[in-house]
Amino acid sequence: MTALTASDAETTITSPLGRMLRDIGVITKRNVLRNVRLPQLLLFATIQPVMFLLLFNYVFGGSIGRAPQLAQFGSYINWLVPGIIIQTATFGSSQTAVGLTEDLQAGVIDRFRSLPMARSAVLAGRTISDLIRNAFVSGLMLTVGALIGFRYQTSFLQLVFAFLIAMGFAFSFSWVMAAVGLAVKDTETAQTASFIPLFPLVFASSVFVSVESLPDWLRVFADHQPVTVMANAMRGLMLGEAALPAGTTVGGTVTASLVWIAVILLIFFPLSVRLYRRAAG
Amino acid sequence: MTTNIVDVHDVVRTFGEVKALDGMSLSFEPGIIYGLLGPNGAGKTTLIRVLATLLKPTSGSATVAGIDVVADPDAVRTRIGLAGQFAAVDAYQTGRENVEMVGRLYNLSKREARRRTDEVLERIDLMDAADRQVKTYSGGMRRRLDLAASMVGRPEVLFLDEPTAGIDPRSRLDIWSLIEDLVERGTTILLTTQYLDEADQLAARIGVIDRGTMIAEGTADELKDMVGGSVVQLTVPQEKQSTVVGLLRSVSGDEPTIDQSNGRMSIPASSAQTLLTVARKLEEASITPDDIGLRKPTLDDVFLSITGHAAEVGEAGPKRPARSRE
Ligand SMILES: Nc1ncnc2c1ncn2[C@@H]1O[C@H](COP(=O)(O)OP(=O)(O)OP(=O)(O)O)[C@@H](O)[C@H]1O
Ligand SMILES: [Mg+2]
């Protein structure tokens, strides 16, 4: 250890990277604290997806699950759990837009922007804390799913990989939502605006049903859009290749899912940082 | 090189059609409190935001501590503290956590941030509430906490946007003494206010702004000379008004000012004697006023005397943030 001079004791970190990580840590902690201190936020963020899981399984499971393409997986719950986790994670990421607009409107972002802190820290701290919340809720979904009959058909390692893909997508989608929030700047608008990308992506996908039943024009979109790709990659990893549409492989869909995550991040990370710098403009 | 700590030169900032700043210039030396006085929509907040690197000027230039706010905002941020118009504190964090967080973001070590947090909370008299979540704080306490957060980095220049707006008179005095205390320790402060008495009490120099430009500048005394100090103000029954106008003219030697909206008349008062003179003349004429008194000059009087019209309140007014769950 090097000896501390007086000024070292006051201002510790000198490397820009170290300062950035520290700033991200400080902001992440602040946001996580809010979830912990307002447990009702987390409670309602959890109740809704769990309700979805139960409703879909017990109400629709009977009819949708008996469709020939789905029946082959034994029980509908096996098909449903990977899908509903990616659905929950995608919806959960819309909180990034809401949280950012709340901070904007409360003047907190002004304070942060007037401080000598890393430029990316406010956004990174927000997306990371949302990822943490998303991981918590999704982990719970997996547990509830297991309680009502979900069984993975592959290895535990593949299950973990599938979960990580869902989280990777949730994180990248948080950056999309960050851009939405920074563009609209107002919480109510952010809430409605975030549904515009969310609804078609989540419902015109293989999350709840097999896309084979969709009309051709919609199927082209549904087959290639990221939420379907994520759901398929997770199913491949959790249930094996038999769970995938004919002609696709687990390796192929997993690669496609990682490419999607990377592409979304490459576009929306710089875009959001740019919007953030001009946020007050 | 300049010895001015804040130097604003011909800054224009537009928002679409609106010219929030329209050729604003301002400079002052370190170690003082500079008071920016102006009505709603004058451009006070916009100027503070330009200086705090939150907003780029459309044209013109501005430096803080000799550093250009557009060319090197990062360097400016290490020198400044900001307490915006509405307290930017987290409701679900404790007072201590709020201030400590800001300290950490000024790159203070954990220990130093903690030490200074204790120090500023002590000074700002929030020690008793330090470990309570801010959602339990009153509006005045939040405001003080926001000030504490802006001070924890020991900035050279502190920007305070209407630091006492919406605060009860007692807390207002507390904040005033805190601000005076800060300047004694060498901080330079730029504060905005809508109250002449606040600028008078605190500021070594006062700039009066209207529609994005500086319309008058000087010490409190210089401004008051411009306004003519206190006024005698009275209202009388409608039918007596013309008689009283003549009577007031005979006292002040000039036309009295009449507020058309409520018929209130006023004349400059060199001392309380003016009030007594007016009262005596009213009595001689057997007129009983509805209301009469000696009043200290307000922002309105400053405006009236400088521009010849009363302060027009900007259309948009202050943008109150939608309060998130508290
Ligand atoms: N972000 C913005 N977008 C559009 N117009 C704005 C914006 N910020 C300020 N304005 C406009 O610029 C003008 C000056 O506003 P500013 O907030 O600087 O006034 P102010 O002197 O701080 O007023 P107040 O006393 O009400 O706080 C107003 O007409 C306001 O509507
Ligand atoms: Mg303002």
Side-chain angles (χ1 to χ4, degrees):
Chain A
M1 296 247 34
T2 52
L4 290 176
T5 66
S7 72
D8 280 344
E10 288 190 356
T11 62
T12 34
I13 307 175
T14 47
S15 85
L17 181 68
R19 286 187 63 162
M20 185 181 84
L21 293 178
R22 192 263 330 272
D23 291 349
I24 291 174
V26 168
I27 301 292
T28 305
K29 182 180 153 201
R30 157 190 187 259
N31 297 337
V32 169
L33 261 184
R34 177 180 183 139
N35 283 318
V36 177
R37 300 257 166 95
L38 286 174
Q40 64 270 33
L41 284 186
L42 206 54
L43 184 72
F44 287 114
T46 315
I47 285 180
Q48 198 207 31
V50 167
M51 215 159 63
F52 256 55
L53 177 63
L54 297 177
L55 282 174
F56 268 89
N57 187 49
Y58 293 116
V59 178
F60 301 129
S63 53
I64 306 179
R66 241 177 251 121
Q69 316 93 305
L70 302 188
Q72 56 188 307
F73 307 111
S75 59
Y76 179 62
I77 185 76
N78 280 355
W79 168 268
L80 182 63
V81 163
I84 213 147
I85 285 178
I86 199 71
Q87 181 243 345
T88 306
T90 313
F91 271 99
S93 65
S94 71
Q95 283 305 308
T96 302
V98 173
L100 273 178
T101 49
E102 279 175 0
D103 283 350
L104 267 175
Q105 288 181 307
V108 178
I109 302 270
D110 273 359
R111 148 125 328 126
F112 287 148
R113 287 177 74 240
S114 77
L115 293 174
M117 60 186 284
R119 284 160 193 256
S120 56
V122 171
L123 295 180
R126 169 63 58 187
T127 50
I128 291 172
S129 59
D130 284 337
L131 176 65
I132 293 171
R133 199 201 43 236
N134 246 325
F136 174 82
V137 176
S138 300
L140 203 78
M141 300 288 291
L142 199 58
T143 313
V144 174
L147 288 176
I148 60 170
F150 170 76
R151 296 289 175 266
Y152 61 91
Q153 309 292 317
T154 50
S155 69
F156 183 70
L157 223 63
Q158 278 169 296
L159 176 77
V160 172
F161 193 14
F163 192 79
L164 289 181
I165 285 181
M167 292 307 102
F169 183 66
F171 182 68
S172 70
F173 215 68
S174 268
W175 285 94
V176 177
M177 290 302 171
V180 170
L182 293 168
V184 303
K185 293 180 187 170
D186 152 274
T187 307
E188 275 89 57
T189 318
Q191 238 143 10
T192 21
S194 60
F195 285 139
I196 294 169
L198 279 178
F199 269 72
L201 284 175
V202 168
F203 290 104
S205 77
S206 64
V207 161
F208 299 112
V209 295
S210 160
V211 293
E212 278 154 44
S213 59
L214 299 180
D216 284 346
W217 60 270
L218 190 55
R219 210 184 142 178
V220 178
F221 168 76
D223 265 341
H224 297 98
Q225 60 109 330
V227 173
T228 299
V229 174
M230 298 304 141
N232 288 352
M234 290 176 70
R235 288 196 179 110
L237 286 166
M238 288 174 161
L239 308 174
E241 207 141 283
L244 296 181
T248 49
T249 61
V250 175
T253 42
V254 168
T255 310
S257 70
L258 297 179
V259 169
W260 259 122
I261 292 171
V263 166
I264 294 173
L265 277 176
L266 280 173
I267 296 172
F268 284 93
F269 175 82
L271 180 65
S272 297
V273 171
R274 221 162 92 195
L275 286 170
Y276 175 74
R277 285 193 203 164
R278 301 194 329 209
Chain B
M1 266 317 288
T2 167
T3 50
N4 285 329
I5 188 117
V6 168
D7 232 323
V8 177
H9 191 70
D10 204 19
V11 164
V12 174
R13 170 69 212 209
T14 56
F15 295 104
E17 300 281 278
V18 182
K19 272 195 173 167
L21 294 176
D22 189 5
M24 170 70 75
S25 296
L26 160 75
S27 8
F28 57 92
E29 64 279 13
I32 66 161
I33 301 179
Y34 190 101
L36 262 187
L37 188 61
N40 288 137
K44 303 182 294 293
T45 300
T46 307
L47 179 60
I48 296 266
R49 290 167 64 81
V50 166
L51 292 172
T53 75
L54 303 179
L55 215 57
K56 282 192 180 132
T58 309
S59 68
S61 65
T63 63
V64 173
I67 309 161
D68 191 296
V69 295
V70 177
D72 199 355
D74 286 331
V76 171
R77 289 175 191 151
T78 62
R79 314 289 195 92
I80 62 168
L82 168 70
Q85 190 164 353
F86 305 104
V89 287
D90 287 333
Y92 50 90
Q93 291 200 84
T94 66
R96 190 190 301 278
E97 284 166 344
N98 264 292
V99 179
E100 228 173 87
M101 174 181 78
V102 174
R104 295 282 283 148
L105 295 172
Y106 271 109
N107 197 25
L108 299 177
S109 69
K110 243 190 190 125
R111 175 190 299 187
E112 181 65 11
R114 201 165 296 156
R115 206 177 63 69
R116 289 204 203 167
T117 298
D118 279 348
E119 186 186 296
V120 293
L121 288 177
E122 187 75 58
R123 274 240 310 289
I124 217 152
D125 200 21
L126 277 178
M127 223 29 179
D128 292 340
D131 294 311
R132 266 163 45 194
Q133 285 186 40
V134 171
K135 65 182 175 198
T136 67
Y137 281 26
S138 70
M141 290 165 81
R142 279 170 202 238
R143 204 65 233 225
R144 270 162 37 219
L145 184 68
D146 197 50
L147 276 180
S150 71
M151 288 157 41
V152 71
R154 294 199 188 138
E156 270 173 70
V157 189
L158 202 50
F159 299 116
L160 307 178
D161 197 358
E162 301 197 23
T164 63
I167 279 187
D168 70 52
R170 213 192 71 84
S171 311
R172 199 155 172 241
L173 293 180
D174 288 346
I175 290 182
W176 283 3
S177 76
L178 185 85
I179 290 173
E180 280 167 336
D181 192 40
L182 277 169
V183 167
E184 260 160 45
R185 292 153 167 255
T187 312
T188 306
I189 295 176
L190 174 61
L191 67 81
T192 73
T193 178
Q194 302 192 29
Y195 308 111
L196 185 59
D197 66 329
E198 181 161 285
D200 182 14
Q201 170 76 28
L202 294 174
R205 303 220 345 248
I206 300 172
V208 183
I209 69 172
D210 184 31
R211 297 174 195 177
T213 45
M214 187 71 77
I215 57 172
E217 204 186 14
T219 63
D221 284 340
E222 285 165 355
L223 283 178
K224 272 195 259 171
D225 282 349
M226 222 179 274
V227 181
S230 306
V231 292
V232 168
Q233 204 175 55
L234 68 160
T235 40
V236 294
Q238 184 77 48
E239 67 277 10
K240 305 277 196 230
Q241 190 147 341
S242 52
T243 323
V244 175
V245 166
L247 189 150
L248 289 174
R249 199 187 297 126
S250 75
V251 175
S252 73
D254 207 348
E255 274 313 297
T257 326
I258 305 176
D259 185 334
Q260 298 300 348
S261 65
N262 52 18
R264 191 182 289 144
M265 295 174 275
S266 41
I267 55 165
S270 42
S271 70
Q273 183 58 49
T274 315
L275 175 63
L276 294 179
T277 309
V278 173
R280 188 162 38 78
K281 295 214 168 196
L282 285 172
E283 188 146 47
E284 282 166 12
S286 304
I287 298 170
T288 312
D290 296 333
D291 182 42
I292 183 165
L294 189 66
R295 197 173 50 75
K296 291 194 175 139
T298 67
L299 178 59
D300 266 338
D301 303 313
V302 176
F303 267 81
L304 216 55
S305 65
I306 298 171
T307 65
H309 66 82
E312 283 166 35
V313 173
E315 298 146 40
K319 282 166 290 165
R320 251 237 158 266
R323 282 271 155 235
S324 49
R325 300 169 196 100
E326 295 181 318

